[in-house]
Amino acid sequence: MDILYRSTRSDSTPITASQAILRGFPEDGGLYVPTFVPALETGLADLAKMDYRGVAYEVMRLLLSDYTEKELKTCIDSAYDCKFDTEEIAPLRKSGDAWYLELFHGPTIAFKDMALSILPYLMTTAAKKNGSGREIVILTATSGDTGKAALAGFAGVQGTKIMVFYPKHGVSSIQERQMVTTVGANTRVIGINGNFDDAQTSVKNLFTDKALVEEMAQHGMQFSSANSINIGRLTPQIVYYVYAYTRLLADGVIKEGDPVNYVVPTGNFGNILAAYYAKRMGLPVGKLICASNSNKVLFDFFTTGEYDRNRKFVLTSSPSMDILISSNLERLIYHISGDDAEKCAAFMKELKETGRYCITPEMRAQLGDFAVM
Ligand SMILES: *Cc1c(COP(=O)(O)O)cnc(C)c1O
């Protein structure tokens, strides 16, 4: 049976994974979520014997169930190849009492490579499967790392164009240079006056501009998104949590079933949400520890149950975490409200109008998987 995807904000008809990847997000402004979260089928001990590509297939086939085995394996093999500087793809290293999953071995050194190296393949495969025949125009807002990783992923990919918007004074000079020096006839990079939230909101407005979308269609083009709101980015991120666990298992550091805590530096809540889905798929995870910098909306949310973006935006040395509207949190809000799109939509409306919302005690009670730092 196919896993279908529906909006966090309305009860519109669910669509397949490939359709959701192609569209990016639903017209109602919500995000696509799986109608149910599948359990891992392959045992952890068996996964421990597989390489990164093998684990990737066993995890992703469950969530992207309308891709054929051949399609998905081609995407995985095209993404996780010698573009990465190690065959392990994501080596796990010990230092002191902690283990570090090295997600920086991809072409741009950003951990975003883990997902953005496969997204273009998932997307072009989705376009073929769904017979759209239209050129895909990727719009991406970036606080630094996503931009370069997305540009590297899509540069030169047939049937796609990519436009990246970044806050002119909100990324590091290395990141800016990485982006503006990208080669590729299908790439564009634009610095905006404003911060990341402004860039993200403006991109969202373009996506939902009906007249613009229609004009694009008349010219044989359609928008899609390479931001972490696309399930084509979220799904590949679930893989490395499972991979990390199974490496510990393979090395005899843990026994099957032992819980492992994951600390995740968090901005748009994509990476840690992938860990949450990994846990819901049956990975033995103890706590998901959400790490924030001075823009600590998420720290405060998990501590108090109130999300409040009405505060000063601080530019820090970790610009990828300088975010006051964590888009992917909407998916968690949807799930902890009992997969209730109406409730979720009400919270998001409140956020848009007042910049804050407060979840119910029942919802807070379901945040036990999370801790903060
Ligand atoms: C993207 C990024 C983050 C934030 O990840 P989210 O998925 O947006 O929470 C944190 N650190 C670095 C270095 C990043 O590139």
Side-chain angles (χ1 to χ4, degrees), residues 243-255:
Y243 182 75
Y245 188 93
T246 57
R247 293 319 97 172
L248 290 175
L249 197 56
D251 292 345
V253 178
I254 55 168
K255 291 192 299 295

Side-chain angles (χ1 to χ4, degrees), residues 9 340-352 357:
R9 293 196 198 175
D340 188 330
E342 204 178 315
K343 262 197 203 160
C344 182
F347 285 120
M348 294 307 128
K349 187 160 177 272
E350 220 181 313
L351 177 65
K352 189 163 186 189
Y357 60 86

Side-chain angles (χ1 to χ4, degrees), residues 129-239:
K129 287 177 80 64
N130 292 286
S132 93
R134 293 206 199 119
E135 187 170 41
I136 300 163
V137 179
I138 305 292
L139 298 181
T140 293
T142 184
S143 54
D145 287 348
T146 301
K148 181 59 197 184
L151 288 162
F154 282 94
V157 175
Q158 281 277 321
T160 71
K161 279 197 167 80
I162 175 161
M163 298 183 85
V164 171
F165 299 84
Y166 70 95
K168 182 81 188 108
H169 304 288
V171 302
S172 74
S173 68
I174 291 180
Q175 288 170 325
E176 183 167 38
R177 280 177 229 186
Q178 276 187 312
M179 287 191 279
V180 301
T181 55
T182 304
V183 275
N186 63 337
T187 65
R188 291 282 184 286
V189 183
I190 296 144
I192 67 147
N193 291 316
N195 60 33
F196 171 72
D197 290 323
D198 298 323
Q200 177 159 260
T201 305
S202 306
V203 163
K204 251 194 145 169
N205 289 343
L206 291 178
F207 277 121
T208 47
D209 181 334
K210 285 216 169 75
L212 181 62
V213 168
E214 227 162 76
E215 195 181 333
M216 294 279 292
Q218 281 165 12
H219 291 85
M221 294 188 255
Q222 79 183 87
F223 284 136
S224 192
S225 166
N227 278 88
S228 60
I229 50 174
N230 194 310
I231 60 146
R233 257 192 73 184
L234 208 50
T235 309
Q237 292 188 278
I238 301 172
V239 172

